[in-house]
Amino acid sequence: MSQNSADLPWKVRLFTSLFSFTYKVMIRRSDGSLNRLLLNFLDYKTSPSPDKPIDGVTTTDFTIDEDRNLWFRLYNPVFRTSTTDNEVNIPVIFYFHGGGFICMAANSKLFDDLCYRLARLLPAVIISVNYRLAPERRCPCQYEDGFDVIKFIDKSYLEVLPNHANLKHSFVAGDSAGGNLAHHMALKASKSELFNIKLTGVIAIQPFFGGEERTGSEIKLSRDPFVPMDTTDWMWRSFLPEGSNRDHQVSNVFGPNSVDISELKFPAVLVIIGGLDPLQDWQKRYYEGLKKSGKEVYLVEYVNAFHSFYLFPCVPEFSLFIKDVKDFMQKQMSR
């Protein structure tokens, strides 16, 4: 890894080593194509638990469009209280998983475990979105899928959400590619009319942005096991519309082809970065771009955090991450 592996728990060291080898040697073929069959085999999927809480959280899957395999998993914290459901009030988070737009799913064990933790520790009702993947389905499918889930909840929330879910305190959140999606969901929402959902904030966890320019952190941390430069280049080629480059407006959101958001009513944003993440320079540019556009934005940096640290509760940054997200949410909800 880019940092001293001896500083990490052995489970994390083992996972990163296996991930790096498997991804580069077995999943990403030499011709640039993706071995989807092997990837799906290695990506262990979990089942929902609607009737039996796991660590105080029940989960239920809801399908919106079978043809698109568009569905979401709902994480509902169970409260042991003598009060009625209407007296308990917690926020709703629309969550978008990472994976470079090309891998993982809402029921992948890594992200299922993460959403269980978020639901329990924040606490919040989590709506984890399963969107289509590239290269089989390129941009803008992922953004369309994500916003269709938001619109579905806005219209049909009484059919799927528990009584203690407060849509007036809704957040969009995501990690890596999911952080990119979270930004664009807020952008779409600011241009649309939602009747029951009020987006209170964006939680961008090490969001995946990029551009044609090579940044200092990309070069310095080019041997990162999760997002080395050659891998992110391949991900963008697989995801972006044919003929596009990395300065496309969905990847370089404050670049030469970007959309001006200065006049849009955009929710407050929390940007979380890691000092050992090759993508950190793009994430800092995202923060600066939001500031220059007059938006409320907060930057939190964990100096020793690698890309995807939030998937490992055994690392010290995880508890800080939960606290910072919780503080941001509470600040926005108090207004």
Side-chain angles (χ1 to χ4, degrees):
M1 294 189 66
S2 305
Q3 66 271 48
N4 184 355
S5 61
D7 296 336
L8 297 174
W10 71 268
K11 289 183 180 180
V12 179
R13 299 200 305 270
L14 177 62
F15 178 87
T16 54
S17 297
L18 290 175
F19 178 90
S20 180
F21 173 80
T22 303
Y23 212 88
K24 292 181 179 179
V25 177
M26 302 173 68
I27 293 176
R28 177 184 165 191
R29 298 189 180 103
S30 58
D31 63 358
S33 63
L34 176 71
N35 190 336
R36 178 69 68 190
L37 185 64
L38 178 59
L39 181 60
N40 287 339
F41 174 76
L42 295 174
D43 181 16
Y44 179 71
K45 303 296 198 302
T46 61
S47 299
S49 183
D51 301 317
K52 183 179 179 181
I54 298 176
D55 292 333
V57 178
T58 61
T59 52
T60 310
D61 291 350
F62 295 91
T63 299
I64 295 177
D65 187 340
E66 289 186 1
D67 291 339
R68 285 188 284 167
N69 192 30
L70 179 59
W71 58 274
F72 63 89
R73 178 163 291 180
L74 180 76
Y75 296 77
N76 178 28
V78 178
F79 294 96
R80 293 184 176 89
T81 175
S82 59
T83 61
T84 63
D85 281 347
N86 290 329
E87 292 176 303
V88 180
N89 198 280
I90 61 174
V92 174
I93 298 177
F94 293 88
Y95 194 85
F96 299 88
H97 67 80
F101 301 106
I102 66 170
C103 64
M104 311 304 283
N107 57 348
S108 295
K109 181 164 176 53
L110 280 173
F111 290 104
D112 187 49
D113 288 349
L114 173 62
C115 287
Y116 267 109
R117 296 182 195 113
L118 294 176
R120 182 179 73 254
L121 297 174
L122 292 176
V125 172
I126 309 291
I127 297 169
S128 182
V129 179
N130 194 74
Y131 53 88
R132 288 173 289 180
L133 299 174
E136 295 87 350
R137 296 292 184 269
R138 289 178 175 264
C139 168
C141 292
Q142 295 74 15
Y143 304 109
E144 294 168 350
D145 290 350
F147 203 62
D148 281 350
V149 171
I150 292 176
K151 290 189 294 183
F152 173 84
I153 295 296
D154 188 55
K155 179 181 178 181
S156 307
Y157 69 98
L158 291 174
E159 302 172 18
V160 296
L161 295 187
N163 291 337
H164 52 245
N166 185 355
L167 283 176
K168 299 305 179 185
H169 290 158
S170 293
F171 295 79
V172 286
D175 65 281
S176 196
N180 177 299
L181 279 161
H183 166 79
H184 287 286
M185 293 303 99
L187 184 61
K188 282 180 173 288
S190 67
K191 299 177 180 179
S192 306
E193 186 174 14
L194 298 173
F195 299 98
N196 297 295
I197 293 173
K198 180 182 178 182
L199 281 187
T200 310
V202 178
I203 303 165
I205 310 163
Q206 296 183 300
F208 185 26
F209 297 117
E212 286 296 295
E213 180 188 346
R214 296 305 187 192
T215 67
S217 62
E218 286 178 309
I219 296 170
K220 179 181 178 181
L221 300 169
S222 61
R223 298 182 64 183
D224 182 82
F226 289 113
V227 284
M229 198 159 49
D230 63 328
T231 295
T232 55
D233 284 356
W234 169 65
M235 288 173 170
W236 288 125
R237 286 195 301 271
S238 300
F239 167 71
L240 292 170
E242 294 282 1
S244 300
N245 64 25
R246 295 187 302 274
D247 281 334
H248 191 281
Q249 63 184 16
V250 300
S251 48
N252 195 350
V253 293
F254 290 108
N257 304 309
S258 61
V259 175
D260 181 13
I261 67 170
S262 58
E263 300 300 319
L264 296 177
K265 188 176 180 181
F266 205 82
V269 181
L270 174 66
V271 184
I272 295 173
I273 68 175
L276 298 173
D277 183 356
L279 302 177
Q280 64 183 280
D281 285 351
W282 289 111
Q283 295 154 5
K284 291 174 183 176
R285 291 187 187 187
Y286 174 58
Y287 166 76
E288 293 295 339
L290 289 170
K291 279 181 62 178
K292 290 178 182 177
S293 298
K295 306 310 174 189
E296 181 182 355
V297 56
Y298 305 90
L299 182 71
V300 173
E301 179 176 5
Y302 308 124
V303 177
N304 295 317
F306 55 93
H307 193 79
S308 301
F309 76 93
Y310 43 84
L311 296 174
F312 305 96
C314 56
V315 301
E317 290 79 11
F318 181 81
S319 59
L320 299 175
F321 158 70
I322 292 295
K323 180 183 182 301
D324 288 330
V325 171
K326 192 171 187 176
D327 289 348
F328 170 76
M329 293 175 65
Q330 289 178 342
K331 180 176 182 178
Q332 300 310 315
M333 292 187 295
S334 68
R335 298 178 173 178

